[in-house]
Amino acid sequence: MKFAGTVSGKTRAGNVMDWSVNTAYKTLKDMEPKSLAVVEATSTILPNVERIDVGLGTSEKGNATPITKPRKKTMTSVYLKYFETAPDGKTRRCKFCGQSYSIATATGNLGRHLSNRHPGYDITVNVATPAPQPVTIPKKLQLQPQPQPQAKIPQLELDHLNWLLVKWLILSSLPPSTLDEHWLLNSFKFLSPTIKIWPGDKFQTILCEVFRSMQEDVRVIVDRVSSKVSITLDFWTSYEQLLYMSITCQWIDENWSFQRMLLDVCHISSPCGAAEIAHALLKVLKLYNIDNRVLCCTHDNSPIALHACHTLKEDMDNQKMSSFYYLPCAAHTLNSIINDGLRSTKSIISKIREFVLKMNTSLEISQDFLQCCNAYQEGNWKFPLDASPRWSGNYQMLDIARKASKSMEAIVRKYDELGSMLLSTAEKNAVNIMHVYLEPFYKTINDICTNKVLTVGLVLFFMDHISEMIAACRDSRHSPDWLKSAAEEMATKVRSYNDQVCSLFTYMTAILDPRIKVELLPENLNSENYLEEARSYFIRNYSSSQFSAITSSYAAQELEDGGSVSFAEEIARKKRRSSMSSATDELTQYLSEPPAPIATNVLEWWKVNNTRYPRLSMMARDFLAVQPTALAPEDLFCSKGDEIDKQRFSTPYESTQASHCVKSWLLGGFKLKYKSTEVDYERLMELATATAAENTTTCSDKKQKS
């Protein structure tokens, strides 16, 4: 990730970890031994380990070794455990690459070899603080020679394993207490009796420190954003009956790439009212220094979130901060509209879902179903079928009952256990009617979920189309009464959404989408008054901003000249004023051109045309970052949302903020950091893979010898 205003790239920390006994992180330069006393103070890394071969690589040979003349000083260094002493005691060999050094080589040179040839070699954390151990060959190995030398199986260093478990816990959204489960500990003990897993409270401490370190990187990125930003709010309640709010920031960078980043997950304190939400939100905005740069907030349509946004807007207006707007979530609105339509067929869909779940869990039934579909030519179906209670699963139920009705009936009649799932003629008719009615909804939601850059203008275009379909069904003489009643409820919610979004801000946001402009705006938004107010807003906020520096520098020059202005300078001033007054020509020219095709990439269009509209493109960068939905649409409409809800519901209070934020940042391309030092997981995986391969080879050799 590049820390230059984007989150799409990648970055690597400049420091490499040093896991000394006091668990403090240092750079390699700090690790250079200044004297023997400093070397001895660092001690060894793992507790209760006396041999030189702790951690990585192979261990000392088990054969007898000649007793060498003792050295005057017993050297102890953090580097020596990465080198293997030869049996003759004259050389040391690197456990990573096999390069040999004289036994008299200074430990500083050994450290430089490790840092230059094997960066990230030292990423471990101390579990305890052991006493310094001298680097000597144990007497037991000297006094008990074996007939044939046998190398010990190399083992991945214990703290390396713990750090791999840290990432596993985060990405799996598991609480740190998972590591306190006895069955898991026993499983690791079965693999290696010497393994020591950190307790859950230590994992919790590490997780919180990782959160703080990575949050600093997020703050740096957000602070470098040069345009306005927008935020979205999402709410949920955990199993502990605690209310949480996630705050996500969006913006468009200088390269016209859309950026999204989770800022924080906040616990809303009791009584969980609008004041508490507004206070928590403003605290996060100030933490990231965007309280004066946030343009709009998209909430989840709950009354408490709406009230909180209104409270926050009043506070910001009273403090004369930048303009702040808020919008309802189009995805939650559309989901609520569809649920109203499905309510009349809810019992039928439940019956079909039971049938689908039976097929998903029985290979015999699913195979029979596929054979029937092939015989009746009722399409190809891929198992397991989506049986989610969300929109994707509900429409799948209608789809299979309508398109594979003969196969479904044949399977239900064949198996006695499925007898209660047989649909009546009236139920089949209801399914067919509802499927035809909702098919345009399915196509619309599919377009919304798959659109790379979902803009307010495009969503308003889709919602206007849905409103027309609902009205047509409600007014049709051929629609049954139960469907007309459902359509009336759906129309009520569409009108409520349209009333909330009907504003100058929404108008300006919509027309800056080159696919929409004025031609494809909903009728209730297409107003000449809005157009004139949009021109005024554009001139007031974007036409002169680029020239403020020129004007101020020019005024300073005028004072230096004693008030005299040359004839050439007067001409230049007139041209500058002319260019400023012609700012509206950009908006006029932009709107006079026909809209771009719907398939056009909006950001690519502005990236190509920003030189034609230098001022208008600045406004477009700000407004096109505004999100029409409070969360990714697929998280609400598809089965993916079920997994997200489970993880949110089951996360305990002490790890909710850290685990959800760190997981989002890792998936966004950040590197995991501990105390501002990057954890090199690529190197850890290489070590784990090498250890597993060596173990396999050793076991194979033993089997062949036996």
Side-chain angles (χ1 to χ4, degrees):
M1 173 171 298
K2 300 177 181 178
F3 291 100
T6 68
V7 295
S8 57
K10 298 184 177 180
T11 185
R12 298 181 66 89
N15 295 337
V16 180
M17 285 189 180
D18 168 29
W19 306 93
S20 57
V21 293
N22 59 3
T23 68
Y25 288 72
K26 306 175 183 179
T27 62
L28 288 177
K29 183 177 180 181
D30 297 330
M31 290 171 54
E32 293 295 338
K34 301 300 185 301
S35 66
L36 186 60
V38 175
V39 172
E40 293 177 350
T42 58
S43 75
T44 56
I45 291 182
L46 295 178
N48 303 322
V49 179
E50 298 181 356
R51 302 182 182 182
I52 184 175
D53 58 318
V54 292
L56 309 176
T58 58
S59 63
E60 284 291 348
K61 304 290 184 179
N63 59 322
T65 56
I67 301 177
T68 59
K69 184 178 180 180
R71 299 173 62 87
K72 293 182 179 180
K73 292 185 179 181
T74 301
M75 298 180 63
T76 302
S77 171
V78 292
Y79 305 125
L80 292 179
K81 68 190 187 69
Y82 300 105
F83 290 84
E84 185 178 27
T85 304
D88 58 4
K90 294 181 179 181
T91 60
R92 290 191 180 98
R93 184 173 64 86
C94 177
K95 294 182 180 181
F96 296 107
C97 63
Q99 183 171 342
S100 296
Y101 288 89
S102 170
I103 196 70
T105 302
T107 55
N109 293 333
L110 300 181
R112 279 186 284 274
H113 166 81
L114 291 172
S115 60
N116 294 332
R117 295 288 299 275
H118 313 292
Y121 69 93
D122 57 340
I123 301 179
T124 54
V125 173
N126 292 331
V127 180
T129 306
Q133 300 291 335
V135 181
T136 57
I137 300 174
K139 294 182 178 180
K140 182 179 293 187
L141 292 179
Q142 298 176 358
L143 300 177
Q144 297 180 2
Q146 298 179 3
Q148 294 182 352
Q150 293 182 349
K152 285 182 62 178
I153 299 176
Q155 296 179 357
L156 187 67
E157 203 159 322
L158 303 185
D159 285 339
H160 288 186
L161 174 61
N162 281 302
W163 274 103
L164 291 173
L165 290 176
V166 167
K167 191 169 185 180
W168 170 66
L169 288 176
I170 293 172
L171 295 181
S172 302
S173 298
L174 296 173
S177 58
T178 303
L179 275 303
D180 291 332
E181 295 290 341
H182 293 294
W183 63 266
L184 184 61
L185 296 176
N186 291 335
S187 299
F188 283 115
K189 291 292 184 182
F190 176 78
L191 296 176
S192 175
T194 61
I195 284 180
K196 294 183 179 179
I197 305 300
W198 294 339
D201 56 349
K202 183 174 180 65
F203 271 102
Q204 179 63 42
T205 302
I206 294 290
L207 177 61
C208 292
E209 183 59 42
V210 167
F211 166 74
R212 287 189 289 268
S213 297
M214 297 183 69
Q215 188 181 47
E216 288 302 315
D217 291 343
V218 176
R219 290 177 60 183
V220 170
I221 289 180
V222 175
D223 190 57
R224 293 177 180 174
V225 177
S226 59
S227 62
K228 294 280 189 179
V229 300
S230 293
I231 58 174
T232 55
L233 306 181
D234 194 17
F235 297 85
W236 72 90
T237 302
S238 71
Y239 74 97
E240 298 169 313
Q241 296 301 302
L242 298 177
L243 179 64
Y244 292 95
M245 172 180 65
S246 67
I247 306 170
T248 306
C249 180
Q250 300 88 18
W251 72 92
I252 298 173
D253 63 21
E254 294 85 350
N255 295 320
W256 288 94
S257 296
F258 180 77
Q259 307 295 344
R260 183 196 307 271
M261 187 177 300
L262 178 66
L263 298 182
D264 209 342
V265 172
C266 306
H267 165 236
I268 306 302
S269 57
S270 181
C272 305
E276 287 74 24
I277 293 177
H279 174 74
L281 177 56
L282 186 59
K283 182 179 179 181
V284 173
L285 297 182
K286 290 183 177 180
L287 174 66
Y288 286 92
N289 194 29
I290 58 174
D291 52 317
N292 203 33
R293 290 186 289 151
V294 61
L295 178 63
C296 180
C297 173
T298 306
H299 57 81
D300 71 341
N301 298 8
S302 61
I304 190 173
L306 176 62
H307 189 193
C309 289
H310 182 71
T311 302
L312 183 61
K313 178 176 175 59
E314 289 183 340
D315 292 343
M316 297 178 75
D317 290 343
N318 293 335
Q319 298 178 27
K320 296 182 179 181
M321 302 174 70
S322 60
S323 300
F324 175 75
Y325 307 92
Y326 52 92
L327 292 175
C329 174
H332 279 97
T333 301
L334 186 54
N335 189 59
S336 179
I337 292 171
I338 292 173
N339 287 337
D340 285 344
L342 291 171
R343 188 174 293 115
S344 54
T345 56
K346 184 177 180 180
S347 60
I348 305 175
I349 292 175
S350 297
K351 187 182 294 187
I352 303 171
R353 180 173 285 109
E354 288 186 45
F355 171 74
V356 170
L357 290 174
K358 282 287 187 181
M359 289 198 298
N360 284 343
T361 55
S362 173
L363 180 61
E364 180 184 1
I365 297 177
S366 60
Q367 291 294 335
D368 286 347
F369 177 78
L370 292 176
Q371 292 177 4
C372 289
C373 289
N374 186 44
Y376 291 122
Q377 296 183 352
E378 291 184 328
N380 297 320
W381 303 88
K382 184 178 180 181
F383 284 90
L385 298 171
D386 184 1
S388 167
R390 296 175 183 268
W391 160 249
S392 61
N394 288 331
Y395 189 78
Q396 176 88 87
M397 301 304 101
L398 297 175
D399 204 40
I400 196 170
R402 182 170 187 263
K403 296 181 179 178
S405 58
K406 294 181 180 179
S407 300
M408 180 178 174
E409 182 175 353
I411 296 300
V412 171
R413 293 185 181 279
K414 179 179 178 179
Y415 294 91
D416 295 337
E417 57 187 290
L418 305 180
S420 61
M421 304 172 193
L422 186 65
L423 299 182
S424 65
T425 302
E427 289 175 330
K428 291 180 181 178
N429 290 336
V431 166
N432 292 336
I433 293 173
M434 184 59 69
H435 185 276
V436 172
Y437 174 55
L438 293 180
E439 187 173 7
F441 288 79
Y442 172 79
K443 295 179 179 179
T444 299
I445 293 175
N446 185 64
D447 286 345
I448 290 176
C449 291
T450 56
N451 200 281
K452 292 182 179 179
V453 181
L454 192 63
T455 64
V456 171
L458 187 62
V459 166
L460 292 176
F461 169 75
F462 284 136
M463 294 294 286
D464 189 50
H465 175 61
I466 288 174
S467 178
E468 293 175 354
M469 290 189 299
I470 294 174
C473 174
R474 181 191 56 195
D475 300 336
S476 175
R477 295 179 299 173
H478 304 288
S479 299
D481 292 339
W482 59 268
L483 185 59
K484 287 185 177 181
S485 176
E488 183 60 41
E489 294 180 6
M490 298 168 77
T492 301
K493 292 190 175 179
V494 172
R495 286 193 298 269
S496 175
Y497 174 80
N498 289 337
D499 291 342
Q500 292 183 63
V501 300
C502 187
S503 66
L504 171 63
F505 173 75
T506 309
Y507 176 87
M508 293 188 293
T509 307
I511 65 174
L512 288 173
D513 186 335
R515 302 167 298 183
I516 305 300
K517 295 189 176 181
V518 176
E519 286 81 353
L520 298 183
L521 278 178
E523 186 176 352
N524 63 323
L525 266 181
N526 202 345
S527 167
E528 285 294 331
N529 293 333
Y530 279 156
L531 178 59
E532 292 305 318
E533 291 180 34
R535 292 183 190 277
S536 300
Y537 182 92
F538 173 53
I539 295 173
R540 184 171 63 254
N541 293 279
Y542 292 93
S543 64
S544 59
S545 59
Q546 295 187 20
F547 303 95
S548 59
I550 298 177
T551 305
S552 60
S553 62
Y554 180 78
Q557 182 65 35
E558 181 177 343
L559 292 176
E560 292 177 3
D561 295 340
S564 60
V565 178
S566 65
F567 178 71
E569 191 60 45
E570 287 186 8
I571 298 176
R573 280 189 177 186
K574 290 181 180 180
K575 287 187 174 293
R576 292 192 187 102
R577 284 195 294 267
S578 175
S579 64
M580 291 170 62
S581 62
S582 64
T584 55
D585 291 342
E586 285 188 21
L587 183 59
T588 302
Q589 181 181 354
Y590 167 77
L591 295 177
S592 64
E593 297 175 357
I598 293 295
T600 301
N601 185 311
V602 177
L603 300 186
E604 285 295 329
W605 189 94
W606 275 107
K607 185 176 181 179
V608 172
N609 292 275
N610 64 1
T611 53
R612 295 178 58 199
Y613 312 108
R615 303 177 184 86
L616 195 61
S617 63
M618 293 175 60
M619 183 176 178
R621 270 188 65 192
D622 292 343
F623 279 71
L624 291 179
V626 175
Q627 292 300 286
T629 61
L631 72 171
E634 60 269 19
D635 293 350
L636 181 64
F637 293 115
C638 305
S639 57
K640 175 184 176 183
D642 293 335
E643 189 63 29
I644 295 175
D645 286 350
K646 293 176 185 176
Q647 294 172 357
R648 288 177 167 180
F649 179 79
S650 60
T651 308
Y653 168 77
E654 61 270 12
S655 59
T656 293
Q657 180 189 42
S659 62
H660 287 296
C661 288
V662 172
K663 178 180 179 179
S664 176
W665 296 335
L666 288 176
L667 295 177
F670 281 87
K671 295 292 186 180
L672 191 143
K673 285 189 174 183
Y674 180 81
K675 294 185 177 178
S676 302
T677 307
E678 179 185 324
V679 180
D680 191 351
Y681 275 99
E682 294 181 2
R683 178 59 182 162
L684 292 183
M685 292 306 299
E686 290 176 3
L687 294 175
T689 303
T691 302
E694 186 66 25
N695 290 346
T696 303
T697 303
T698 304
C699 292
S700 300
D701 293 342
K702 288 183 177 179
K703 289 182 179 179
Q704 292 177 0
K705 291 178 180 180
S706 60

